[in-house]
Every structure is written in structure tokens, then in C-alpha cells.
Amino acid sequence: MSQTIVIDPVTRIEGHSKITIQLDDRGEVVDAQFHVTQFRGFERITQGRPVHEMPALMARICGICPVSHLIASAKAVDDIMAVEPTPTGADLRRVINLGQIVQSNALSFFHLSSPDLLFGFDGDPAQRNILGVAAANPQLARDGIGLRKWGQQIIEWMGGKRIHPEGIVPGGVAFRLTEEVRDRILAGVPDALAATERAIAWYKSDMLRWEEEATTLGNFRSAFMALVDRQGNVDHYGGWIKVIDADGHALAEPIDPKHFNDYIGEAVEPWSYLKSTFWKPMGYPDGIYRVGPLARLNVAEKTGTPRADEELEKFRWRVGRVASSSFHYHYARLIDTLHAIEKIELLLRGPEITGPHTRSTAGINRNEGIGVSEAPRGTLMHHYKVDDDGLVEWVNLVIATGHNNMAMNRAVLQVARHYVKGDRLEESMLNRVESVIRCYDPCLSCSTHALGQMAIKIDLLAPDGRVLSQLAR
Amino acid sequence: MTVYTLKIDGRDVAGSEGQSIMDVAEENGIDIPGLCHLPGIHDRGACRLCVVKIGGSPRLAAACVTKIAEGMDVVAHDEELEEYRRAATEMMFLERNHVCAVCVANNHCELQDLSADLGLTHFELPRISPTVDVDLSHKLFGLDHNRCILCLRCVRVCDEIEGAHVWDVMQRGLETRIQADMGVDWGDSVTCTSCGKCVQVCPTGALFEKGRPVAAGTRDERPFLPWLRVHQEERGL
Ligand code: SF4
Ligand code: SF4
Ligand code: FES
């Protein structure tokens, strides 16, 4: 008799989710699905609102990466106003965005994932949390907490608020950066760099311990997508969309983000609110690709900052030019963080950063706009249509967790195949399914905004199609 | 000028003939809540938040439009009045759609401040959540009916101070809306001089400057219109 095993909910990821594993008659895993059952409906809520409100509204999508939504949203409205932000405004946006990357990456690595790395995936659950880390490796915990705090402070000092900052507006940013705030942020750079480098050193020294996980946790070939700058280096704020295949070959010339719709399709599955995006030229479901820190490092030539580039070289030496295991998201996330800190320093040392011209103004000059940026979890796309007065008529959001949706499902299936034996669900397998999901650091609340359907139901089906059991939330 | 003496909340106060209870209370530092009252323009008694009890009468009177009289005994604050004010404020919220977190007026909103003062922490009545228009047709300003509490300050300031009389009220009950000229989009109004006085006096985020950072609550503290003071002095108030 076929059997369905449900893991619900996956702890220690942002938002809610459910996983279903389908066994066949012989107790072999035949399918696995990662369900997203949350629904927030932002695309509907925003209809009829003034487009200038969109950044503030969009920032409410998520309390984890509000800045990323602010940035993508403000860029979409820039596009509707047909203006470029002033150079100072653009650089200030970059700094806040990177502050977000640092704090979110720190949360993911230190608070959510390091317990597994430190205590092993089968370690005592009571110990596998940040408090356990603090007891066993105080320096690691301190570094994580300090890094996250510094990232949050950047957002708070520059944006006015830590959770839903308000400084980022269409055309640039609302407030001028004072020298005092700039210096306060700069003063934290050395500690932030040191903390990240300590974490990288620790990770590298222990890497062999996770050899098994690295080969079984979402290790498969796929394409990767990220933004790159003119030189092909990492760009968290602007630039071009670049997509490479599993061997590192570009699948297209760098794409102007405004044309992303020509290349990216969105598929809807009945079992999830989360849309699955795919690379159009390859179709669904073959056009699977990944985004996020691992994709940023795989896609880019270099990071463009010296210390991160040094680490990137070692990273590639260890895991290959195009790392295929999702497990390496962790490692990549640390290098991504290192780059972000270096870049923040570079930007803040720019001569114009405290200049007065932080914002371009304009009216509604187009009826459609697209804004794309790199969020901590990957490429984020906002696409709006407005009427001639600037009232929102239509909104579409393509979000990192949606890009990664197919990859997450494939990773779960792979883990289930490897670790589920017979009809019993071992704790160790549970832990590994959770941790492979956590590699992607999915932020589910923001990505479940597309489908107008009712909440999810789980059916346990016999081989002849009879419903044996049903679970509803 | 005749001077009257009266009591407000047990305090002995004095005022001149023709003054409202609200004016005298203000002069004496007694705070009576009110959202439609604005010194410098005529009172209209629209919001009913300033209601007070006079001399044991069961009828509540609006302090902003009730003139003082000799020997009046006014109760401006008691539990019953507070409850009444909370209910009236709650209904202002429920009639339209207020989402403070993403409102231009957040942190500079008289409705919000009042709710905080009254301790209005939650709604007991069901929300109506009507579908309400937003008018962005004016070049400089926007009107979001979702946040309008029909205080009619805009109507009065435009008429009495600017002299343009763009705004009026149309429909009734829940359908009541302020309207420009005879019901055209604001941007098509031929009488509007784009002076912005209505935007300045609006107690909520219903009237706002377009293109300003509408990121939550970045609307500046609206400065009290200096010419309102002048006008007030001219009227001898
Ligand atoms: S007008 Fe005031 S009460 Fe209404 S949403 Fe705006 S801030 Fe909140
Ligand atoms: S728009 Fe503002 S000033 Fe005019 S009636 Fe409504 S709340 Fe009052
Ligand atoms: S202030 Fe008196 S009715 Fe509004």
C-alpha cells in the first residue's frame, strides 16, 4: 500500500510550509512535494492604490527582507516615472540593500543553519538552536549576533526603522546621509569583516565533516541566475540578468532586467501557492534554475572586492567553478556577506555619498515599470502597470523563493530517496529534509501571493486512486 | 462686550458673549477632542466628537457650535462621554479603509492621535471595507476617499479663506463624498487654484501632496497656516 509521510511544519524557516513524501507499494519514495500553504494576496490588495505608495506597501510583504522589496519596488516606480535615481540616491539604496544582505545572511547562517553544522544533523534537537551554539561555540554565536545587528543598524540608521524602513522612495532616497551616521557605520566595518572571516575559516576547517550532506542535500545539475555588473561581477542592486547552465556556459547574452518576461515563465501547481518560475527557452519543468548566494557566486566572474575574491577563489578550488550542491549555499552565503561588507565600505567612502542630491522627482511618464534587484535569497522582480494618473492596475512579483521552487522540490525528493528506507520516518531523515530546505533559506510569506485558491489539503492516495486519508489545514 | 461666567468640568471659567464652549475651553487649557474644529474657519459641528453635557440635560451638545451662556455647567469629560467618543471614532475608521502603516499621515494624523488618546485599541463593530475611489487626477495633489472622515475642513477653508469654493459634499449616508466642482475629477476642476490649503488642513491622510515620499508616515508635520491666524484675529476671535 502506498503511503504518504507528512512533515509539518518545517521549523526554523521563515513562514509556513508542508512537505509530502509519496511512497509506492514497495515503500520506495516516488515523489516529494514542498507545499507552500500561506497566502497573502498582495497583488490584489495593491490594486487601485497610488503607485507612489507601492514601496511602502511592498515593504510589508516581509519582515525579513523588507528592504529588498523596497528597492525592487522603488526601481519599478523609477521606471514608471522614467527617471534614474541621482547617483547619490542610487548609492545610498545600494548601501541599505547590502545592509539587508548582511543581516539576512547572518540570520540564515548563524541563527538557523549553524546549529546543524555544529551539532550534526542528528544532534540533540534541544541543543540545535542559536542558544546551543552560544554555549558550545560562543565566538561563533557572538559573531552571528554582532553581524546581524550591524546589518540591522545600517537599515535603521539610514532608513529610519529597522523592520520597515521608510527612506527608500521612488527616485532615490528621502533623507540625506549625515557624516555622523556614515562614520558610525564605517566604525563597524572591521568587526564585521573579522566576524565573517572567522566564520569562513571555521566553515572551511570543518567542511569535510559534512561531506555526506554535501553530496546528498540537493546536489544536482541546474542553471543559475543572478544580476551582474558591466564586468560580469556580482551586483546586488542593478546591472543585467545573467543565466548560466550547470557547466558555466551563458544561456543568453546578459539580459536587460526590463525584458525578464521574455525569458522567465511562471507555472502554477495545484499543490502550492508558490509559483514555479522556469527558464522559458527550456520550458517547464526542464528550465529549472537556482538563485541566491550560490547562484551569485556561480554566475559572476568575480565579486569585485579583494577579500571576497580571495575567498571565492578558494571556494571554486574546493567545490568547482559551478557548485552544484545546494549545501554550498551556506558557504556561498558567507562569501556573499564578506563581499557585501567590503562593498558597503567602498560605497560609504565615496565622495558624494553624503551629498544633497538624493532624489529625482517626476510624474507618471509611463504606464508600466519593472524593477529588479538581488535580495538575500536571490533575484527579485517587481512589475507594475498603472493608469495615467498613477493608480495601480496590475502587479506581478517574481520572488527568490519562487525561482528556487522547482529546485527545492528536487532537493527534497533527492534527500527523501537517500534517507527514507521502508515506511518508517527516522528523525535523521526529517532533519535532513528540513535542512535542505533551509539551504535555500526560503522566505515563504513573500512568495505566496499568486494563486486565488483555498488553503492546501493533503491527500493520501492508494495506487488505485482511492483517498485513504486526508489532511487539511 | 458681555462677559459670562460658567463652569467646565467643575472649573470656573469666563468668556465673552458669542464664544463657543470649545473656544473658552481652549483658552483655559481644557482639552475637548474634535476633528472638524479648526480655529480660523467657521465651525460646522460635523464630527460630533466634542459633545459635552450641559446642566444635567440629557441632550448632548457639540461644544464647537454651542455658544456659552451665563451660569452654564458643562461636563466635558466623564466615562460616558469618553465611551461615546470612542464609538464615534471607531465608526469613522469602519466607514472607510484606514491602513496607517502605509499612510502618508502616519504619525502626523489627528484621527490616529485621537484614537490613541481615547484608548481605542480595537474595533468591536464589523468593518464595512467599502470599495472607495482614489483621485490622483490633480497635478499636485491626491485625494484618497478611503481616509476621509468628512470633517469638511477642506470645504470650509477653500470657501472661506481661499475663496475658491471648489469642495462640496455629495450623496448621503455611507455614500457621502466630498466632491470637486459639481462632481468632476479634481484635476478637471476649473475653480481650484492649486493653493494647497485644503491639503494643509486635512486632519488625516485623505488629502496629500503627490510625489512626496509616500513611504510610511513621511508627511511633514503640517504647519499651522499662518493666514488662518490672521483671519482669526480679523474676526476678533
Ligand atoms: S488617515 Fe490617519 S487613521 Fe487613517 S490610515 Fe492614515 S494615519 Fe491611519
Ligand atoms: S478630505 Fe480631509 S479635510 Fe476634507 S473632509 Fe475629508 S478628512 Fe476632512
Ligand atoms: S469639533 Fe465639534 S463637532 Fe467636530
Side-chain angles (χ1 to χ4, degrees):
Chain A
M1 195 177 63
S2 96
Q3 214 183 348
T4 304
I5 297 166
V6 180
I7 304 174
D8 172 28
V10 178
T11 56
R12 282 189 281 142
I13 61 170
E14 315 295 345
H16 296 195
S17 63
K18 186 183 291 204
I19 291 165
T20 311
I21 298 162
Q22 176 82 47
L23 304 180
D24 67 7
D25 292 344
R26 289 161 298 146
E28 298 282 325
V29 173
V30 287
D31 205 359
Q33 285 161 351
F34 174 57
H35 309 272
V36 176
T37 56
Q38 256 188 346
F39 180 70
R40 296 195 79 173
F42 275 92
E43 278 133 334
R44 179 78 196 80
I45 293 169
T46 50
Q47 273 170 29
R49 297 306 310 166
V51 75
H52 275 80
E53 271 180 23
M54 287 300 280
L57 271 169
M58 290 294 108
R60 261 71 193 177
I61 287 180
C62 175
I64 307 297
C65 59
V67 173
S68 313
H69 285 288
L70 266 172
I71 300 267
S73 181
K75 289 182 82 173
V77 186
D78 295 346
D79 195 20
I80 284 171
M81 304 194 306
V83 293
E84 287 291 322
T86 62
T88 300
D91 280 354
L92 290 173
R93 281 185 183 178
R94 285 174 191 273
V95 175
I96 301 193
N97 194 38
L98 291 167
Q100 171 75 80
I101 299 269
V102 170
Q103 82 89 9
S104 179
N105 279 355
L107 178 73
S108 169
F109 183 84
F110 294 91
H111 296 64
L112 304 179
S113 297
S114 82
D116 289 345
L117 301 173
L118 193 60
F119 302 117
F121 296 80
D122 302 323
D124 176 8
Q127 206 184 10
R128 273 188 297 128
N129 53 50
I130 186 75
L131 295 177
V133 175
N137 189 340
Q139 184 67 51
L140 186 68
R142 256 203 309 277
D143 284 346
I145 291 166
L147 255 184
R148 174 143 195 257
K149 182 160 166 222
W150 183 69
Q152 282 175 324
Q153 280 173 335
I154 293 176
I155 299 167
E156 192 179 337
W157 292 338
M158 294 183 65
K161 272 196 224 167
R162 188 162 56 186
I163 304 291
H164 297 299
E166 25 196 63
I168 298 163
V169 293
V173 299
F175 320 111
R176 191 173 166 176
L177 178 70
T178 62
E179 290 176 6
E180 194 267 325
V181 168
R182 178 197 60 191
D183 296 343
R184 236 191 299 159
I185 297 171
L186 282 173
V189 167
D191 281 351
L193 286 173
T196 311
E197 286 181 335
R198 268 194 296 273
I200 292 175
W202 170 74
Y203 188 92
K204 284 189 296 197
S205 69
D206 270 22
M207 234 179 125
L208 285 179
R209 274 175 46 209
W210 310 306
E211 193 69 11
E212 189 190 343
E213 280 76 15
T215 47
T216 54
L217 291 189
N219 187 8
F220 52 86
R221 290 166 59 81
S222 81
F224 291 90
M225 173 193 293
L227 289 176
V228 292
D229 69 9
R230 208 174 286 281
Q231 287 79 41
N233 294 342
V234 171
D235 194 335
H236 286 92
Y237 173 79
W240 290 263
I241 297 172
K242 186 172 174 194
V243 181
I244 57 163
D245 67 13
D247 300 312
H249 306 301
L251 286 177
E253 288 298 309
I255 302 159
D256 179 344
K258 304 211 164 28
H259 302 142
F260 83 84
N261 279 307
D262 299 342
Y263 298 89
I264 292 163
E266 291 183 278
V268 168
E269 294 284 4
W271 41 266
S272 180
Y273 279 147
L274 184 56
K275 288 180 289 192
S276 299
T277 53
F278 58 94
W279 179 244
K280 264 189 190 167
M282 286 159 83
Y284 179 76
D286 294 338
I288 179 173
Y289 61 88
R290 285 176 269 184
V291 298
L294 184 64
R296 289 197 276 270
L297 295 193
N298 279 345
V299 166
E301 297 299 329
K302 288 177 167 184
T303 69
T305 54
R307 290 158 97 152
D309 274 340
E310 214 174 285
E311 289 299 336
L312 179 62
E313 224 171 276
K314 294 177 191 153
F315 174 87
R316 287 178 175 164
W317 180 80
R318 281 163 188 260
V319 302
R321 175 61 182 83
V322 179
S324 62
S325 170
S326 304
F327 191 75
H328 298 316
Y329 267 97
H330 298 310
Y331 191 1
R333 199 165 276 129
L334 289 174
I335 297 174
D336 192 48
T337 309
L338 189 61
H339 165 70
I341 301 165
E342 288 185 286
K343 187 85 191 193
I344 289 170
E345 176 168 22
L346 265 171
L347 288 164
L348 288 180
R349 294 208 186 281
E352 296 291 326
I353 198 76
T354 53
H357 303 294
T358 62
R359 186 166 182 233
S360 321
T361 51
I364 305 301
N365 293 314
R366 267 187 209 140
N367 296 100
E368 194 171 348
I370 287 177
V372 177
S373 67
E374 283 288 324
R377 294 155 182 83
T379 319
L380 173 61
M381 298 154 172
H382 281 216
H383 184 184
Y384 310 153
K385 290 181 186 167
V386 300
D387 71 5
D388 292 338
D389 290 337
L391 291 173
V392 173
E393 291 183 326
W394 178 91
V395 165
N396 189 34
L397 312 175
V398 186
I399 278 150
T401 305
H403 294 296
N404 281 335
N405 200 17
M406 281 202 281
M408 285 192 293
N409 276 289
R410 189 170 296 184
V412 170
L413 178 60
Q414 187 183 40
V415 171
R417 285 215 166 112
H418 192 84
Y419 288 97
V420 175
K421 299 276 177 271
D423 61 356
R424 261 180 331 127
L425 204 51
E426 310 262 337
E427 176 75 16
S428 67
M429 180 269 159
L430 261 162
N431 294 338
R432 281 172 177 79
V433 168
E434 285 191 24
S435 54
V436 74
I437 295 280
R438 227 176 291 125
C439 290
Y440 296 89
D441 192 20
C443 165
L444 298 172
S445 61
C446 70
S447 33
T448 52
H449 49 76
L451 247 155
Q453 287 188 358
M454 287 310 298
I456 200 87
K457 224 170 51 211
I458 307 227
D459 292 344
L460 172 60
L461 297 181
D464 62 2
R466 259 181 319 123
V467 179
L468 294 173
S469 148
Q470 210 168 47
L471 262 179
R473 201 198 298 232
Chain B
M1 197 193 314
T2 322
V3 172
Y4 295 141
T5 56
L6 62 155
K7 271 189 195 318
I8 302 179
D9 285 340
R11 263 179 63 188
D12 289 319
V13 293
S16 345
E17 179 180 8
Q19 277 192 297
S20 69
I21 298 174
M22 185 74 123
D23 292 334
V24 176
E26 258 170 21
E27 279 173 12
N28 287 280
I30 300 169
D31 180 42
I32 301 179
L35 286 177
C36 66
H37 170 73
L38 185 70
I41 54 176
H42 283 95
D43 281 305
R44 176 92 178 230
C47 74
R48 313 304 293 180
L49 288 164
C50 65
V51 286
V52 294
K53 296 175 179 168
I54 300 173
S57 155
R59 256 192 65 228
L60 302 178
C64 65
V65 289
T66 306
K67 305 279 181 242
I68 56 165
E70 180 58 36
M72 251 184 179
D73 186 7
V74 179
V75 177
H77 294 91
D78 68 12
E79 199 28 60
E80 198 184 346
L81 288 170
E82 296 289 287
E83 189 50 49
Y84 177 89
R85 288 175 185 143
R86 257 196 299 279
T89 311
E90 176 177 356
M91 282 187 260
M92 285 180 192
F93 279 106
L94 297 174
E95 273 180 19
R96 302 283 168 99
N97 304 301
H98 291 262
V99 185
C100 300
V102 289
C103 176
V104 266
N106 193 13
N107 294 326
H108 304 299
C109 172
E110 293 182 39
L111 178 60
Q112 204 180 45
D113 292 347
L114 179 73
S115 319
D117 291 347
L118 291 172
L120 181 68
T121 52
H122 59 281
F123 302 143
E124 275 161 16
L125 298 166
R127 282 163 183 267
I128 297 173
S129 305
T131 306
V132 185
D133 284 343
V134 180
D135 182 348
L136 290 187
S137 59
H138 193 282
K139 229 173 73 192
L140 302 175
F141 311 120
L143 163 59
D144 186 347
H145 289 286
N146 285 290
R147 301 167 184 153
C148 173
I149 57 167
L150 297 169
C151 69
L152 310 188
R153 285 185 187 178
C154 55
V155 175
R156 288 172 284 153
V157 82
C158 181
D159 176 36
E160 297 175 21
I161 312 281
E162 177 63 7
H165 198 127
V166 173
W167 298 111
D168 260 305
V169 188
M170 64 172 175
Q171 308 271 36
R172 47 198 302 189
L174 285 177
E175 303 300 317
T176 312
R177 301 283 183 274
I178 59 157
Q179 62 162 7
D181 288 0
M182 292 301 279
V184 299
D185 287 342
W186 193 359
D188 294 334
S189 163
V190 290
T191 55
C192 175
T193 63
S194 302
C195 73
K197 291 185 179 68
C198 55
V199 176
Q200 285 221 356
V201 298
C202 179
T204 69
L207 295 172
F208 55 88
E209 276 176 64
K210 270 167 84 169
R212 286 188 67 88
V214 188
T218 47
R219 184 180 83 172
D220 296 339
E221 200 82 57
R222 288 171 182 181
F224 194 84
L225 295 175
W227 32 261
L228 274 184
R229 278 269 178 243
V230 172
H231 186 75
Q232 191 182 6
E233 274 152 25
E234 279 168 5
R235 283 167 62 203
L237 291 174

